Amino acid sequence: NFTSFYREPQHYDFLLTRALRDIAARKEALSSRRIRAWSAAAATGEEPYSLGMTFLEYFKDPSLWDIKILATDISSKVLNEAFEGLYTKEQIKAVSPSLRQRYFDSEPAKKGCLYRIKDQVKRLIVFRRLNLMDAAFPFQGPFDFIFCRNLLIYFDLPTQEAVIRKLLKYLEVGGYLFVGHSENLPMVFRGQVETLACAVYRKIK
């Protein structure tokens, strides 16, 4: 369950400078305002909240868009912590002072201060328990991008392939799949995706 805000920050930079621009342009061409993302190993919430803040930084008027982030994890315990959205100063050290001011409220605590994610970020996120090894998932998608990072390394190759196959099933053609920097997609999927950056893939069919 190790996680942190803006872990592997290059991925969030990629979202801000490339992926969200592409997604927004494709949606507008289809007269759509619906954007869906999935954080498939949400743990205690740092990743989906980082995604939520990235959305709010890119879309200056998010009320014009229908944005939702599905945040799933196998552990109900960590999901409860994620839903609470309360973090220590150490946990939010990777959040810049300006973002901290915009998206967190401080609360007094016995030792120093705690920081609670603001409702404007929480409203974008739906937390659900999910085992990625389940035969079927209780949603339809498709998602415009999926984060499934630093999880595949714990699986053997057949399990990795099974999980990735499911992720790609729920990913929009043209959508983005982000894995951990120490992870790679098995060669069997190379005809279905193209590599855009370190651990960033786009579904091509």
Side-chain angles (χ1 to χ4, degrees):
N1 287 320
F2 174 77
T3 186
S4 62
F5 282 98
Y6 296 103
R7 185 182 184 186
E8 298 177 345
Q10 299 90 335
H11 284 164
Y12 298 96
D13 292 339
F14 187 93
L15 278 176
L16 277 173
T17 60
R18 184 168 177 181
L20 290 180
R21 179 178 59 196
D22 171 59
I23 291 168
R26 286 192 288 112
K27 297 294 180 175
E28 289 178 337
L30 296 170
S31 299
S32 172
R33 292 281 169 166
R34 180 187 185 276
I35 297 179
R36 294 292 183 269
W38 178 13
S39 171
T44 47
E46 286 90 331
E47 180 177 277
Y49 287 135
S50 296
L51 293 175
M53 290 187 284
T54 302
F55 272 121
L56 293 174
E57 287 298 292
Y58 184 84
F59 294 101
K60 298 307 180 183
D61 189 354
S63 65
L64 298 177
W65 293 84
D66 174 17
I67 298 170
K68 286 295 178 189
I69 301 165
L70 174 64
T72 65
D73 200 276
I74 194 172
S75 169
S76 298
K77 179 180 181 295
V78 297
L79 285 174
N80 288 336
E81 293 181 37
F83 184 78
E84 184 71 11
L86 192 63
Y87 300 96
T88 64
K89 186 175 182 179
E90 176 67 17
Q91 287 175 300
I92 67 165
K93 65 182 180 181
V95 181
S96 70
S98 60
L99 293 178
R100 190 180 305 177
Q101 183 177 20
R102 281 199 288 279
Y103 300 121
F104 289 85
D105 291 319
S106 59
E107 298 183 4
K110 290 182 179 179
K111 295 183 178 180
C113 165
L114 294 174
Y115 298 84
R116 187 180 299 278
I117 197 79
K118 290 186 176 181
D119 285 346
Q120 66 185 115
V121 184
K122 291 189 75 172
R123 280 194 294 266
L124 300 178
I125 302 169
V126 177
F127 292 99
R128 293 288 185 270
R129 184 188 178 279
L130 179 72
N131 184 346
L132 291 174
M133 298 310 300
D134 287 346
F137 297 157
F139 48 78
Q140 294 183 340
F143 295 96
D144 297 291
F145 68 86
I146 297 172
F147 270 44
C148 184
R149 306 186 305 161
N150 303 298
L151 177 67
L152 298 174
I153 53 174
Y154 298 107
F155 300 150
D156 59 22
L157 182 59
T159 306
Q160 288 181 17
E161 292 181 357
V163 169
I164 294 166
R165 194 168 290 111
K166 293 176 187 177
L167 297 178
L168 291 177
K169 175 183 176 182
Y170 289 93
L171 184 64
E172 184 79 75
V173 173
Y176 299 85
L177 174 62
F178 295 79
V179 299
H181 282 180
S182 61
E183 300 169 324
N184 293 291
L185 262 62
M187 290 298 295
V188 67
F189 297 104
R190 292 309 168 99
Q192 300 178 49
V193 300
E194 60 178 339
T195 305
L196 300 180
C198 179
V200 181
Y201 302 90
R202 180 162 54 195
K203 182 177 176 180
I204 56 178
K205 68 175 184 179

